[in-house]
Amino acid sequence: MIKVVGLGLKDGDLSLKGAVAIDNADKVIVKTALTDTYKFFTEENIPHETLDGFYESSEDFDDLDSNIAKFLLSLKDKNIVYCVNGNGADDRSVIKLKECCEVEIIAGVSRELSVLERHPHTSIVKVSAYDIAGDRAFSYDKTLPLVICDIDNAYIASEVKEILARVVGEECDITFFKGEQEIVIPAYELDRQVDFNYECGVYVSPFEITDKQEYNFCDLLRIMFKLRGKNGCEWDKAQTHESIRKNLIEEAYELVEAIDNQDIDNIIEEAGDVILQGVFHAVIGEDEGEFNSNEVLTHLCNKLVTRHTHIFGDVVANNADEALMAWEAAKAKEKSQSDLVSKIEGVAKALPSLQKAAKYQKYLTKIGMDFENISQIKDKIAEELQEVLSANTDNIEMECGDLLFAVVNLLRFLKVDGEVALNKSCAKFECRVKYMQKKCDENNLKLNELTAEQQESLWQEAKENEDCRY
């Protein structure tokens, strides 16, 4: 076992327990002599070895810490004490060492303490820059102060800058510290600082919920709990799963419309509204003691892991079609859908009818029940159309449904989503009617007073209009 002693931030920070461990060691290794805490070893004439040579031979700091860990593991001495700056537990070479062997840590003063002494808080969020570099999902509770340590080179500073720009905004003021020195800068200037070293990091002050430039999922939950809390919004407090059920459908269609229009700003807004509906139900569930947001997220994440067997398991998928097959196989296994009936019963009853019909037909194809070509589908549509035309009032609704079901088969064969196609046709129809009305208004005419020939002429003109073709 290797003992790690945290030397603290500056000369005099070493604890009595740490000093005793160093004195009793068979071999003392000091990570670097280029710190104020190193004075202890020279002043007390402690036999030791420094690892500064690893800094020159390593490609980067990650490589440095890996090389140091390998070196320490290669030593044969029984009682080794490895001394690092800071509290010991947050040194990255120690973290790598702990992955391979048993380590006892005698803690010293943490590297962020000097900052927190000047910015006291009872709770903080502390992370290493190396742990969050490149992490697009990094987030934290911004009602707490954030300390990011280990910003020891310009590349890591650039990575942290990108993360801060996303989570708090690039114009947000942050405190850049180097040991006990600190300066307030906007986040976008972080990688423009000079002489980075192991003492460098940033401190981000906590935010009031109304002062934030950027929000995250935690903020959304906090806002929703406030809205439904004792002094919250009376409308939000009155809602139930049933009362907001229709909102999800409306918001989903508004997002689809934004996507169809390729309106990025609107996609951002409508995607947020769709997310809100899921969170709203989670908060209602927690208020009612039914379930909470963690259960919702846990179920979702478990499903993403267990159904992506080609990513998190041993299934091989070389293209999108094979990936979809892997997903569907995992889903069928999870839901015990071993036959056609169980799969058909698993289709959501609330789905729009066109989508439901397409799903039913997809499952039929899995057991070989499908048309061989488009010609057969055309014959089926013609057959169903004839039955509609000859139907009586008692069965005409059913026959019309059969006709639509046959048309969905054609759409499926052509790889066209019926809901999307019909929505586009409706939008095109709306555009052409608006065009006709506009032309009538320009000529002081009333659309409903035009002759059939005039209306048809205007309709054909609308069809030729560039904005109404698609």
Side-chain angles (χ1 to χ4, degrees):
M1 181 177 68
I2 296 176
K3 287 184 180 179
V4 173
V5 172
L7 300 174
L9 294 171
K10 49 188 179 293
D11 185 30
D13 282 349
L14 180 64
S15 68
L16 177 59
K17 186 176 181 180
V20 170
I22 292 171
D23 188 54
N24 293 333
D26 295 330
K27 189 176 188 66
V28 176
I29 307 290
V30 182
K31 185 173 185 180
T32 176
L34 303 178
T35 65
D36 189 55
T37 56
Y38 182 69
K39 293 178 182 177
F40 169 77
F41 299 95
T42 56
E43 291 174 352
E44 299 296 327
N45 296 314
I46 305 292
H48 65 280
E49 177 182 345
T50 66
L51 303 181
D52 287 308
F54 282 90
Y55 284 79
E56 297 180 4
S57 61
S58 301
E59 294 182 2
D60 52 35
F61 283 92
D62 193 52
D63 187 42
L64 165 71
D65 294 319
S66 295
N67 290 339
I68 289 176
K70 291 176 184 177
F71 169 73
L72 293 172
L73 290 169
S74 70
L75 298 177
K76 304 302 181 182
D77 303 83
K78 290 185 177 180
N79 183 13
I80 299 172
V81 170
Y82 175 46
C83 303
V84 298
N85 233 47
N87 72 1
D90 58 2
D91 186 273
R92 294 192 63 79
S93 63
V94 175
I95 294 172
K96 290 185 180 293
L97 193 62
K98 288 174 64 179
E99 294 173 355
C100 305
C101 73
E102 187 177 354
V103 174
E104 177 188 343
I105 298 176
I106 300 174
V109 179
S110 62
R111 280 176 284 176
E112 72 275 11
L113 182 62
S114 61
V115 178
L116 296 179
E117 286 174 347
R118 298 186 293 277
H119 306 275
H121 294 280
T122 55
S123 300
I124 65 167
V125 176
K126 179 201 165 191
V127 295
S128 167
Y130 282 86
D131 288 334
I132 65 172
D135 183 0
R136 294 190 298 167
F138 172 73
S139 184
Y140 76 103
D141 183 350
K142 290 194 283 291
T143 61
L144 298 175
L146 171 68
V147 174
I148 305 178
C149 297
D150 299 327
I151 306 179
D152 50 22
N153 63 73
Y155 171 76
I156 288 296
S158 179
E159 292 285 304
V160 172
K161 179 189 74 172
E162 294 299 321
I163 290 173
L164 290 176
R166 177 176 56 80
V167 298
V168 298
E170 62 179 15
E171 299 285 344
C172 176
D173 284 339
I174 62 174
T175 300
F176 173 72
F177 62 85
K178 183 188 297 185
E180 296 187 355
Q181 301 174 2
E182 64 178 46
I183 181 174
V184 177
I185 58 173
Y188 67 82
E189 289 188 359
L190 176 58
D191 57 349
R192 301 179 188 176
Q193 307 309 303
V194 296
D195 299 328
F196 292 99
N197 61 37
Y198 70 96
E199 292 185 299
C200 294
V202 297
Y203 167 86
V204 183
S205 298
F207 295 83
E208 293 294 332
I209 200 71
T210 54
D211 293 338
K212 299 182 180 182
Q213 300 178 39
E214 300 283 338
Y215 292 88
N216 58 27
F217 188 78
C218 181
D219 296 322
L220 175 56
L221 281 174
R222 194 180 297 276
I223 290 170
M224 289 305 300
F225 281 123
K226 183 175 181 62
L227 291 177
R228 285 180 55 86
K230 181 178 179 181
N231 298 315
C233 170
E234 294 302 324
W235 184 89
D236 287 293
K237 289 192 288 185
Q239 300 315 302
T240 65
H241 293 306
E242 292 74 22
S243 69
I244 62 171
R245 173 183 175 276
K246 67 180 187 302
N247 294 2
L248 176 58
I249 298 172
E250 293 173 1
E251 300 296 358
Y253 275 106
E254 289 177 8
L255 175 57
V256 169
E257 182 179 350
I259 294 170
D260 288 343
N261 294 335
Q262 299 182 3
D263 186 339
I264 300 301
D265 289 338
N266 203 21
I267 289 174
I268 294 171
E269 178 181 352
E270 299 303 340
D273 289 343
V274 171
I275 292 171
L276 170 61
Q277 297 309 308
V279 170
F280 210 148
H281 283 286
V283 172
I284 290 173
E286 185 157 343
D287 288 342
E288 298 298 324
E290 301 166 330
F291 59 89
N292 59 41
S293 57
N294 281 342
E295 290 178 77
V296 173
L297 292 174
T298 297
H299 186 82
L300 171 59
C301 291
N302 279 335
K303 180 163 61 176
L304 289 173
V305 171
T306 58
R307 293 190 185 175
H308 281 94
T309 53
H310 54 294
I311 302 298
F312 301 105
D314 54 6
V315 174
V316 176
N318 296 312
N319 52 53
D321 289 338
E322 291 180 2
L324 180 59
M325 289 174 60
W327 170 279
E328 291 180 341
K331 178 181 178 182
K333 181 179 180 181
E334 174 190 318
K335 294 185 174 292
S336 300
Q337 295 175 338
S338 57
D339 56 27
L340 178 62
V341 172
S342 60
K343 291 180 179 179
I344 292 293
E345 289 179 340
V347 175
K349 301 299 183 288
L351 269 181
S353 297
L354 287 177
Q355 290 185 6
K356 191 188 302 182
K359 281 186 172 289
Y360 286 164
Q361 293 169 12
K362 182 187 73 171
Y363 289 134
L364 282 175
T365 65
K366 301 291 185 182
I367 63 169
M369 292 181 62
D370 200 5
F371 295 94
E372 295 180 2
N373 51 56
I374 288 181
S375 179
Q376 290 181 348
I377 300 178
K378 288 169 59 180
D379 292 342
K380 183 62 176 176
I381 292 174
E383 174 190 328
E384 297 295 350
L385 177 60
Q386 187 57 45
E387 291 181 5
V388 168
L389 297 176
S390 60
N392 56 43
T393 54
D394 292 332
N395 64 359
I396 189 169
E397 185 177 75
M398 182 63 71
E399 296 299 344
C400 287
D402 291 344
L403 174 60
L404 290 173
F405 197 87
V407 172
V408 171
N409 260 317
L410 175 63
L411 298 177
R412 178 181 56 80
F413 218 82
L414 296 173
K415 299 187 183 327
V416 172
D417 186 308
E419 286 290 334
V420 173
L422 188 55
N423 272 327
K424 287 185 176 180
S425 290
C426 289
K428 181 171 61 177
F429 175 83
E430 179 183 349
C431 179
R432 291 176 181 177
V433 170
K434 287 181 178 178
Y435 178 89
M436 294 171 67
Q437 185 63 57
K438 178 183 176 183
K439 288 298 181 181
C440 286
D441 292 343
E442 290 174 353
N443 293 283
N444 295 318
L445 298 173
K446 293 186 180 300
L447 185 57
N448 63 325
E449 295 178 355
L450 297 182
T451 65
E453 290 78 9
Q454 288 173 316
Q455 289 177 343
E456 177 62 22
S457 176
L458 203 51
W459 177 260
Q460 294 299 325
E461 183 180 331
K463 286 177 64 176
E464 294 301 317
N465 182 266
E466 185 70 25
D467 294 334
C468 299
R469 290 183 180 179
Y470 305 101

